Coordinates of all heavy atoms in Angstrom, one line a residue:
R1030 N 125.3 78.1 131.8 CA 124.0 78.7 131.6 C 123.7 79.7 132.7 O 123.1 80.7 132.5 CB 123.0 77.5 131.7 CG 121.5 77.9 131.3 CD 120.6 76.8 131.5 NE 121.0 75.6 130.8 CZ 120.7 75.3 129.5 NH1 120.0 76.2 128.8 NH2 121.1 74.2 128.9
V1031 N 124.1 79.4 134.0 CA 123.8 80.3 135.1 C 124.5 81.6 134.9 O 123.9 82.7 135.1 CB 124.3 79.6 136.4 CG1 124.3 80.6 137.6 CG2 123.3 78.4 136.8
R1032 N 125.7 81.5 134.4 CA 126.5 82.8 134.2 C 125.9 83.6 133.1 O 125.7 84.8 133.2 CB 128.0 82.5 133.9 CG 128.7 81.9 135.1 CD 130.2 81.9 134.8 NE 130.6 81.1 133.7 CZ 131.0 79.8 133.8 NH1 130.9 79.2 135.0 NH2 131.3 79.1 132.8
R1033 N 125.6 82.9 132.0 CA 125.0 83.6 130.8 C 123.7 84.3 131.1 O 123.4 85.4 130.6 CB 124.9 82.7 129.6 CG 126.3 82.3 129.0 CD 126.1 81.3 127.8 NE 127.3 81.1 127.1 CZ 127.5 80.2 126.1 NH1 126.4 79.4 125.8 NH2 128.6 80.1 125.5
Q1034 N 122.8 83.6 131.9 CA 121.5 84.1 132.1 C 121.3 84.8 133.4 O 120.2 85.2 133.8 CB 120.5 82.9 132.0 CG 120.5 82.3 130.6 CD 119.4 81.3 130.4 OE1 118.3 81.4 131.0 NE2 119.6 80.3 129.6
H1035 N 122.5 85.0 134.1 CA 122.5 85.7 135.4 C 121.4 85.2 136.4 O 120.6 85.9 136.9 CB 122.2 87.2 135.1 CG 123.2 87.8 134.1 ND1 124.5 88.0 134.4 CD2 123.0 88.2 132.8 CE1 125.1 88.5 133.3 NE2 124.2 88.6 132.3
L1036 N 121.5 83.9 136.6 CA 120.5 83.2 137.5 C 121.0 83.3 138.9 O 121.6 82.4 139.5 CB 120.3 81.8 137.0 CG 119.8 81.6 135.6 CD1 119.8 80.1 135.2 CD2 118.5 82.3 135.3
S1037 N 120.7 84.5 139.5 CA 121.2 84.8 140.9 C 120.6 83.9 142.0 O 121.2 83.9 143.1 CB 121.0 86.2 141.2 OG 119.7 86.6 141.1
N1038 N 119.5 83.3 141.7 CA 118.9 82.4 142.7 C 119.4 81.0 142.7 O 118.9 80.2 143.5 CB 117.4 82.4 142.5 CG 116.9 81.8 141.2 OD1 117.6 82.0 140.2 ND2 115.8 81.1 141.2
V1039 N 120.3 80.7 141.9 CA 121.0 79.4 141.9 C 122.2 79.5 142.8 O 123.2 80.1 142.6 CB 121.5 78.9 140.5 CG1 122.2 77.6 140.6 CG2 120.3 78.8 139.5
D1040 N 122.0 78.9 144.0 CA 123.0 79.0 145.1 C 124.3 78.2 144.8 O 125.4 78.6 145.1 CB 122.4 78.6 146.4 CG 121.4 79.6 146.9 OD1 121.3 80.7 146.4 OD2 120.6 79.2 147.8
D1041 N 124.1 77.0 144.3 CA 125.2 76.1 144.1 C 124.9 75.0 143.1 O 123.8 74.6 143.0 CB 125.7 75.4 145.4 CG 127.2 75.4 145.6 OD1 127.9 75.4 144.5 OD2 127.7 75.3 146.7
L1042 N 125.9 74.5 142.4 CA 125.8 73.4 141.5 C 127.0 72.4 141.9 O 128.1 72.8 141.7 CB 125.9 73.8 140.0 CG 124.8 74.7 139.5 CD1 125.1 75.2 138.2 CD2 123.5 73.9 139.5
L1043 N 126.6 71.2 142.3 CA 127.6 70.4 143.0 C 127.6 69.0 142.3 O 126.6 68.4 142.0 CB 127.3 70.2 144.5 CG 127.2 71.5 145.3 CD1 126.6 71.2 146.6 CD2 128.6 72.1 145.4
E1044 N 128.8 68.4 142.1 CA 128.9 67.0 141.7 C 128.8 66.1 142.9 O 129.6 66.1 143.8 CB 130.3 66.8 141.0 CG 130.4 65.4 140.4 CD 131.7 65.3 139.5 OE1 132.3 66.3 139.1 OE2 132.1 64.1 139.2
M1045 N 127.7 65.3 142.9 CA 127.3 64.6 144.1 C 126.5 63.4 143.8 O 125.7 63.5 142.8 CB 126.6 65.5 145.1 CG 126.5 65.1 146.5 SD 125.7 66.3 147.6 CE 127.0 67.6 147.6
D1046 N 126.6 62.4 144.5 CA 125.8 61.2 144.4 C 124.5 61.4 145.0 O 124.4 61.6 146.3 CB 126.5 60.0 145.0 CG 125.8 58.6 144.8 OD1 124.6 58.6 144.4 OD2 126.4 57.6 145.1
A1047 N 123.4 61.3 144.3 CA 122.0 61.6 144.8 C 121.6 60.6 145.9 O 120.8 60.9 146.7 CB 121.0 61.6 143.7
E1048 N 122.2 59.4 145.9 CA 121.9 58.4 146.9 C 122.6 58.6 148.2 O 122.2 57.9 149.2 CB 122.2 57.0 146.3 CG 121.3 56.6 145.1 CD 121.6 55.2 144.7 OE1 122.4 54.4 145.4 OE2 121.1 54.8 143.6
A1049 N 123.6 59.4 148.2 CA 124.4 59.7 149.4 C 124.9 61.1 149.4 O 126.1 61.3 149.1 CB 125.5 58.7 149.6
T1050 N 124.1 62.1 149.6 CA 124.5 63.5 149.5 C 125.3 63.9 150.8 O 125.3 63.1 151.8 CB 123.3 64.4 149.3 OG1 122.6 64.5 150.6 CG2 122.4 63.9 148.2
K1051 N 125.8 65.1 150.8 CA 126.6 65.6 151.9 C 125.7 66.6 152.7 O 126.3 67.2 153.7 CB 127.8 66.3 151.4 CG 128.7 65.4 150.5 CD 129.2 64.2 151.2 CE 130.1 63.4 150.3 NZ 130.6 62.1 150.9
F1052 N 124.5 66.7 152.5 CA 123.6 67.7 153.1 C 123.2 67.2 154.5 O 123.0 66.0 154.7 CB 122.4 68.1 152.3 CG 122.8 68.5 150.9 CD1 122.4 67.8 149.8 CD2 123.5 69.7 150.7 CE1 122.7 68.2 148.5 CE2 123.8 70.1 149.4 CZ 123.4 69.4 148.3
A1053 N 123.0 68.2 155.4 CA 122.4 67.8 156.7 C 120.9 67.5 156.6 O 120.3 67.8 155.7 CB 122.6 69.0 157.7
D1054 N 120.4 66.7 157.6 CA 119.0 66.4 157.7 C 118.2 67.7 157.6 O 118.5 68.7 158.2 CB 118.7 65.7 159.0 CG 119.3 64.3 159.1 OD1 120.1 63.9 158.2 OD2 119.1 63.7 160.1
G1055 N 117.1 67.6 156.8 CA 116.1 68.7 156.8 C 116.7 70.0 156.2 O 116.2 71.1 156.6
T1056 N 117.6 69.9 155.3 CA 118.2 71.1 154.7 C 117.2 71.8 153.8 O 117.2 73.1 153.7 CB 119.5 70.8 153.9 OG1 120.4 70.2 154.8 CG2 120.1 72.0 153.2
F1057 N 116.4 71.1 153.1 CA 115.6 71.7 152.0 C 114.1 71.6 152.3 O 113.6 70.7 153.1 CB 115.9 71.0 150.7 CG 117.3 71.1 150.3 CD1 118.2 70.0 150.5 CD2 117.8 72.2 149.6 CE1 119.5 70.1 150.1 CE2 119.1 72.3 149.2 CZ 120.0 71.3 149.5
D1058 N 113.3 72.6 151.7 CA 111.9 72.5 151.8 C 111.3 71.6 150.7 O 110.2 71.0 150.9 CB 111.3 74.0 151.6 CG 111.9 74.9 152.7 OD1 111.6 74.7 153.8 OD2 112.5 75.9 152.3
I1059 N 112.0 71.6 149.6 CA 111.5 70.8 148.4 C 112.7 70.1 147.8 O 113.7 70.7 147.7 CB 110.8 71.7 147.4 CG1 109.7 72.6 148.0 CG2 110.3 71.0 146.2 CD1 109.2 73.7 147.2
A1060 N 112.5 68.9 147.3 CA 113.4 68.2 146.5 C 112.7 67.8 145.2 O 111.6 67.2 145.3 CB 114.1 67.0 147.2
V1061 N 113.3 68.0 144.1 CA 112.7 67.6 142.8 C 113.8 66.9 142.0 O 114.9 67.3 141.8 CB 112.2 68.8 142.0 CG1 113.2 69.9 141.8 CG2 111.5 68.4 140.7
A1062 N 113.4 65.7 141.5 CA 114.3 64.8 140.7 C 113.7 64.7 139.4 O 112.6 64.0 139.2 CB 114.5 63.5 141.4
M1063 N 114.3 65.2 138.4 CA 113.7 65.2 137.0 C 114.5 64.2 136.2 O 115.7 64.3 136.0 CB 113.8 66.6 136.3 CG 113.2 67.7 137.1 SD 113.2 69.2 136.2 CE 112.8 70.4 137.6
F1064 N 113.8 63.1 135.7 CA 114.4 62.1 134.9 C 115.6 61.4 135.5 O 116.6 61.1 134.8 CB 114.8 62.7 133.5 CG 113.7 63.6 132.9 CD1 113.8 65.0 132.9 CD2 112.5 63.0 132.5 CE1 112.7 65.8 132.4 CE2 111.5 63.8 132.0 CZ 111.6 65.2 132.0

């Protein structure tokens, strides 16, 4: 979808466990969890 719609603001799509991510503390301004 990102390639077809040229969504240049999508930085990354990663296979990851939401309960134990690999991100550093305070990486994001907003987190949104849909369904």
